[in-house]
Amino acid sequence: MAAANTPTPTRPLSGHRPLLGVSTKMYFTHARTTAFTRTLLTHLISTPRAAEVLSSIDAFLIPDFISLPAVLAAITTTTTPSGLPITIGAQDCAAADFGPFTGEVSPAVLHEVGCGMVELGHAERRALFGETDGDVAAKAGAVVRNGMVPLVCVGEKRGGGGEGDGDGDGDGDGVRAAAEEVGRQVAAVLGELDPEAEVVLAYEPVWAIGAPEPASAAHVKGVVRRLRESEVVKARKGLTRIVYGGAAGPGLWAQLGGEVDGLFLGRFAHQPEQFVKMLYEVGGRSIMGSSNDNRTIALDISSTKRSNDQPSPKPTFLPIAEFRQPISRTSMENTPVRMPEAIRVAKLQMAEDGGLPSSVNTGKSRFFQPVGGFESTRRTGTWGGFVSSASTYLNELRNLLFIQALGIYSFLRVQLKKLAGAVTKLAGLAGFAIACVALWSALSSMHDTRQALVLAQWTARKDFLQYCHSVRETT
């Protein structure tokens, strides 16, 4: 059973909201997963009506196991006026809570750290690791037992689902064969679960995973409709939602016409801005906003510009937590780096010494932006304003030049370390060569000594024989 006093999952699922989520599989490094999460949160916080969209759907993110704590911390500590309702899930788990199962991940531990969902039975795990319907059912039972929602992946192996499949209503031979194969997978799992437990079924045709195009809307509708009408699904009291995955992308939600309960996105959504666009599509909102709103919603906050009528704000200092870049100082000192990375390290060092102006921290200097500076000062015609603006720009230029100098210093420091390492290697090779020469001389001396010893022995024997012969002749 799940441990007592465990924290509440990141966001409880609801039966009245569509689902939209993405799994990073094993495509991301830990650093990229952290950057993806941070960028996604930045987009959501800065995009108008994002909280309204998130409140109308169940969004979920499934990173790798190692990145789970960092992603959970980022999601749960992000503060917005209405919170950030995103469920975090895991990509697999063990069927047992605890025990001698080296390398497995306990569902009890996943719930303890805050996971609300676990993905199970993906086609890759079935094909590569030999997972059966019985294995998936046992894992799903463990997920439910620990207070989480199982996301069970099902799908037929045989190809099909093209535009010509069926008669337009999704009732062709391909749909019937797919529904029978998928129905057996669903029955094996649901038959082992509590009838009142919540379950999410991800219909992912194996032949459509990673394909250029998803299965046709008629095929998906036909298979999903037959699944809903199956006895094993209709007999359940608990909530059973069905989402579609397999090359899912923009426009598919509208094509499916509400027949499915959501979308399970793949590599298309590995770009944060694309995932945000899909949130708006499934949440029933437009990225461009309503018709009476002529402003474009900027998904990239770095592209926001000030009006020429607004004065240039004074530089403000950002806290170190807002300034840090995803770069390890240890790795920077021990590995070759390019100049931009060295500059970022120099910026980090300056921030720790007291901070930098926000225009420098964000990597965009107002010195190179012709807005609110010399142009606006020239319109005002005040010499004092001109001097003030010039002083501001010169100060920022000085900061940038100082950053460049520190970057060059860091770059040269790394190169000198590389040179010192090369010299050390050359010295080692030279010492090895000298040792080889000395060893060769020693071996040659040993050979000469052995030859001299053999010659001495032969001479002694000859002299002894000659002596014996002379004694014999005299007697």
Side-chain angles (χ1 to χ4, degrees):
M1 298 297 292
N5 300 326
T6 55
T8 303
T10 46
R11 195 259 176 91
L13 300 179
S14 170
H16 305 288
R17 293 189 293 255
L19 285 156
L20 181 73
V22 61
S23 169
T24 62
K25 297 191 177 183
M26 207 178 73
Y27 287 116
F28 286 10
T29 63
H30 176 69
R32 184 180 174 187
T33 302
T34 305
F36 173 88
T37 306
R38 182 172 57 252
T39 305
L40 176 62
L41 296 180
T42 301
H43 288 336
L44 293 176
I45 294 174
S46 61
T47 303
R49 297 185 298 280
E52 180 184 359
V53 173
L54 284 174
S55 64
S56 64
I57 64 176
D58 277 335
F60 62 91
L61 175 62
I62 304 180
D64 61 276
F65 287 120
I66 301 299
S67 302
L68 272 174
V71 174
L72 283 163
I75 295 293
T76 55
T77 57
T78 300
T79 57
T80 60
S82 58
L84 198 59
I86 298 179
T87 300
I88 303 302
Q91 296 185 13
D92 191 36
C93 74
D97 293 350
F98 300 101
F101 306 105
T102 302
E104 291 291 334
V105 178
S106 166
V109 175
L110 292 176
H111 179 265
E112 181 182 0
V113 299
C115 287
M117 171 186 288
V118 180
E119 178 186 2
L120 302 170
H122 192 276
E124 294 161 355
R125 294 203 61 83
R126 294 176 186 262
L128 299 177
F129 302 102
E131 289 192 358
T132 64
D133 293 337
D135 297 330
V136 177
K139 292 182 177 183
V143 171
V144 172
R145 183 172 65 247
N146 285 278
M148 297 177 290
V149 177
L151 174 65
V152 182
C153 299
V154 294
E156 74 275 13
K157 297 180 181 179
R158 295 183 295 274
E163 292 298 334
D165 182 35
D167 56 5
D169 295 328
D171 198 28
D173 294 338
V175 169
R176 284 192 290 269
E180 290 178 2
E181 183 177 352
V182 175
R184 290 191 294 269
Q185 300 173 4
V186 172
V189 174
L190 297 185
E192 299 296 328
L193 295 183
D194 183 351
E196 298 184 357
E198 179 179 357
V199 179
V200 177
L201 301 175
Y203 171 52
E204 295 185 316
V206 178
W207 49 268
I209 298 176
E213 297 293 336
S216 67
H219 180 87
V220 175
K221 290 179 180 179
V223 174
V224 172
R225 189 179 302 117
R226 285 176 174 268
L227 288 179
R228 294 191 192 279
E229 295 173 354
S230 63
E231 292 297 330
V232 68
V233 174
K234 292 171 61 176
R236 300 192 80 251
K237 297 180 180 180
L239 177 64
T240 305
R241 285 185 285 181
I242 304 176
V243 301
Y244 173 77
L252 182 61
W253 177 251
Q255 296 177 21
L256 295 178
E259 192 70 40
V260 299
D261 299 311
L263 296 177
F264 190 18
L265 305 174
R267 280 177 288 178
F268 163 79
H270 286 178
Q271 299 297 326
E273 60 275 9
Q274 300 298 336
F275 186 62
V276 173
K277 289 180 181 179
M278 290 302 300
L279 285 173
Y280 273 77
E281 180 177 329
V282 176
R285 302 294 190 271
S286 171
I287 289 294
M288 298 299 294
S290 59
S291 58
N292 59 356
D293 187 359
N294 57 5
R295 296 176 302 171
T296 299
I297 297 176
L299 293 182
D300 187 358
I301 61 174
S302 64
S303 63
T304 304
K305 295 182 179 180
R306 298 190 308 273
S307 170
N308 287 339
D309 296 332
Q310 296 176 342
S312 177
K314 294 182 179 180
T316 57
F317 290 89
L318 298 179
I320 295 178
E322 294 291 330
F323 174 79
R324 289 188 181 275
Q325 302 288 342
I327 298 176
S328 169
R329 180 177 287 106
T330 302
S331 62
M332 289 294 297
E333 292 178 350
N334 296 329
T335 57
V337 294
R338 295 186 297 273
M339 183 61 67
E341 295 174 330
I343 292 175
R344 286 199 293 271
V345 172
K347 289 165 61 179
L348 179 58
Q349 293 172 347
M350 290 184 64
E352 292 178 346
D353 292 336
L356 283 174
S358 59
S359 58
V360 179
N361 289 343
T362 56
K364 291 181 176 293
S365 173
R366 290 192 302 275
F367 185 83
F368 300 103
Q369 297 180 4
V371 290
F374 290 108
E375 295 295 331
S376 60
T377 304
R378 186 165 53 188
R379 287 196 298 269
T380 60
T382 60
W383 175 253
F386 177 83
V387 173
S388 177
S389 298
S391 176
T392 300
Y393 290 135
L394 289 176
N395 286 335
E396 292 199 9
L397 178 60
R398 180 193 61 185
N399 289 334
L400 290 176
L401 292 177
F402 186 52
I403 291 172
Q404 294 285 349
L406 287 178
I408 294 174
Y409 167 76
S410 299
F411 178 78
L412 293 178
R413 181 181 178 185
V414 172
Q415 299 304 319
L416 288 175
K417 283 191 174 183
K418 291 173 57 180
L419 180 61
V423 171
T424 302
K425 291 181 180 179
L426 290 176
L429 291 175
F432 178 74
I434 294 173
C436 290
V437 171
L439 180 61
W440 176 259
S441 300
L443 292 175
S444 299
S445 299
M446 290 177 60
H447 178 72
D448 294 341
T449 302
R450 289 179 180 177
Q451 293 293 332
L453 179 60
V454 171
L455 180 60
Q457 290 176 348
W458 182 83
T459 303
R461 289 176 182 175
K462 184 191 70 169
D463 293 342
F464 178 75
L465 291 175
Q466 289 179 350
Y467 172 75
C468 292
H469 183 69
S470 62
V471 170
R472 182 178 179 182
E473 288 181 349
T474 56
T475 57

